[in-house]
Amino acid sequence: MLDVQQARRDTPGCFERVFLDSAGSSLPPTPVVDTVVAHLRREAEIGGYAAAAERLDDLAGVKTSLGRLFGVDASSVALSDSASRAWTSFFYAVPLEPGDRILLSQAEYAANAVAALQRARATGARVEVVPSDDTGRIDLEALHDLLDERVKLVSVVHAPTNGGLVNPVREVSDAAHAVGALVLLDACQSVGQLPVSVPELDVDALSGTGRKWLRGPRGTGFLHVRPRLIADLEPAAIDLHSATWTSPDTYELAPDASRFEMWEADVAARLGLGAAVDYLLDLGVDAVVEAIAYRAEHTRDGLGRIPGVTVHDRGAPLDGHDRGAPLDGHDRGAPLSGIVSFTVDGMEPTAVRDALAAQSITVTVSSRSSTLLDMSQRKLDAVVRASPHYFVSPADVDRFLVAVRTLAQ
């Protein structure tokens, strides 16, 4: 069982407000903050290079911890400054030629989509979209119809940013690999709140961030690349860390995933990322997943009971479900994520966000531009997004629901 009271004691900010934005930038626990601050103080004492040299083993341990979390070897993990940087460093390394095809999901995130469009324009490749099924998940039947030997890469957003949907990653991987395509998983919103096992999902690359559900510092990201692919991929940008200058006109790329890294980095933040991953591993991933699912269900179910409030989450568990009735085990055809999206009749989502902020309740707004295809299809300009982490108490959720009910009235 998760010790929620200890988790709350490790999160002083959760006593000052109802914090429901872990899908944006979560509240880091005290051990993470202490790790970052301590290293910054050490840099002030002896300088950044010397301070980093003292922590070489700990920096290597960040990759080891991420490897444990994903079920992979540390040598297949690269550290970055964001999920987008990690995603693009792999994507731009995949060779593309005129006529090659890139498949995106209907719920694709804007950062991935614009990179794919830019790369297609530069290489003559084509970007195509895999439709969603009636539940909002990737339509596997449509995917099979689209796949052929010209498809070089399939991008999958594990948990989209604008609602509780969770995509069927393993099924996508199996279908894509059957035609020789690579699968790039955007795990930005899933790592830290859902089980993410690379061997089980069988993806070729995975990108993510530290600042969301992992509760790490901003300015941190990570990339896993399937080991057998690394030697055949050359990143679009390299430096003296990712490659060695071997002669006046030659260089040699690093043999492992560090070829996707750059020399300069926020060492304190990376140590904080390692502390955040270790904190999660110590709590137990299964316990954290269960706690977040419970809080999200509490939030989603409570919002569904408020007249004038519409819950916009998609996914199999809500298919055919009466939003005014509690969810139970029989309703779950597939898991929903900890992201809950909704609107209040007669109020702009930004107005809802600001009214809640005035009551020390933190939510955010997900706009159409961030998931253009999905939101346009559903004729939504924006939704309010609530994302309760395990340190959010049931009383916090109830306080939030009372506040939303008052706004709706």
Side-chain angles (χ1 to χ4, degrees):
M1 294 292 293
L2 191 67
D3 187 344
V4 177
Q5 292 309 311
Q6 181 59 53
R8 288 175 65 80
R9 286 191 293 271
D10 286 342
T11 313
C14 76
F15 295 105
E16 300 172 2
R17 64 187 59 251
V18 176
F19 189 84
L20 302 174
D21 190 24
S22 286
S25 186
S26 191
L27 302 179
T30 299
V32 172
V33 176
D34 290 347
T35 297
V36 173
V37 172
H39 190 75
L40 290 175
R41 293 191 183 282
R42 188 58 173 160
E43 287 186 342
E45 294 169 351
I46 64 173
Y49 280 11
E54 291 180 342
R55 304 297 299 273
L56 290 178
D57 289 344
D58 294 323
L59 285 167
V62 178
K63 296 183 183 181
T64 301
S65 295
L66 284 165
R68 283 180 57 203
L69 184 61
F70 304 140
V72 300
D73 190 82
S75 64
S76 70
V77 177
L79 300 180
S80 182
D81 60 5
S82 70
S84 291
R85 186 90 65 184
W87 193 95
T88 53
S89 65
F90 178 84
F91 176 72
Y92 280 85
V94 175
L96 291 175
E97 298 178 354
D100 288 344
R101 299 167 62 210
I102 305 162
L103 301 187
L104 306 182
S105 59
Q106 187 80 29
E108 199 71 48
Y109 187 58
N112 306 345
V114 296
L117 292 170
Q118 182 195 51
R119 189 93 194 283
R121 180 181 298 174
T123 62
R126 298 205 317 267
V127 175
E128 300 174 40
V129 177
V130 183
S132 299
D133 64 18
D134 291 342
T135 72
R137 304 166 87 212
I138 290 175
D139 189 324
L140 295 173
E141 194 171 315
L143 173 65
H144 280 279
D145 290 341
L146 285 168
L147 286 169
D148 62 24
E149 69 281 354
R150 294 172 300 163
V151 176
K152 300 304 177 185
L153 183 137
V154 179
S155 173
V156 185
V157 178
H158 197 180
T161 188
N162 63 336
L165 178 72
V166 179
N167 270 312
V169 178
R170 180 56 189 255
E171 291 88 338
V172 172
S173 294
D174 290 345
H177 291 155
V179 299
L182 299 177
V183 177
L184 172 53
L185 180 66
D186 179 346
C188 192
Q189 290 287 8
S190 56
V191 174
Q193 69 131 331
L194 296 172
V196 181
S197 166
V198 168
E200 291 181 10
L201 299 175
D202 198 28
V203 295
D204 298 292
L206 173 154
S207 62
T209 184
R211 67 180 158 86
K212 297 182 183 290
W213 299 95
L214 273 177
R215 305 183 65 198
R218 292 196 67 178
T220 57
F222 45 84
L223 172 70
H224 157 74
V225 180
R226 191 187 294 274
R228 65 175 174 79
L229 296 176
I230 292 174
D232 296 325
L233 297 175
E234 179 156 345
I238 59 175
D239 70 358
L240 77 170
H241 175 78
S242 43
T244 301
W245 194 10
T246 53
S247 78
D249 57 359
T250 62
Y251 61 90
E252 185 176 325
L253 289 166
D256 58 12
S258 62
R259 67 174 56 194
F260 294 95
E261 298 176 339
M262 302 295 269
W263 162 254
E264 190 52 60
D266 185 337
V267 174
R270 288 190 174 180
L271 292 170
L273 172 63
V277 177
D278 289 340
Y279 190 87
L280 170 61
L281 292 170
D282 289 343
L283 289 177
V285 173
D286 290 344
V288 166
V289 169
E290 182 178 354
I292 294 171
Y294 173 79
R295 284 151 181 77
E297 183 176 301
H298 184 177
T299 303
R300 192 174 286 119
D301 184 52
L303 288 170
R305 295 173 182 272
I306 300 174
V309 171
T310 302
V311 177
H312 293 284
D313 292 342
R314 305 184 77 188
L318 290 181
D319 196 37
H321 174 71
D322 177 1
R323 293 182 188 277
L327 290 168
D328 60 41
H330 299 294
D331 294 307
R332 292 193 183 88
L336 289 177
S337 81
I339 300 174
V340 183
S341 61
F342 68 99
T343 52
V344 177
D345 291 352
M347 292 189 71
E348 291 294 324
T350 51
V352 175
R353 177 199 63 197
D354 295 345
L356 292 173
Q359 301 177 60
S360 296
I361 300 171
T362 302
V363 296
T364 192
V365 171
S366 185
S367 64
R368 188 171 70 96
S369 61
S370 65
T371 48
L372 181 68
L373 301 177
D374 176 65
M375 298 278 273
S376 296
Q377 183 187 53
R378 293 196 278 157
K379 297 180 173 56
L380 293 170
D381 288 325
V383 293
V384 186
R385 188 180 70 184
S387 46
H389 220 313
Y390 57 78
F391 56 77
V392 175
S393 70
D396 285 341
V397 176
D398 288 338
R399 178 179 158 194
F400 159 73
L401 292 173
V402 168
V404 173
R405 183 179 291 274
T406 300
L407 291 177
Q409 292 173 346

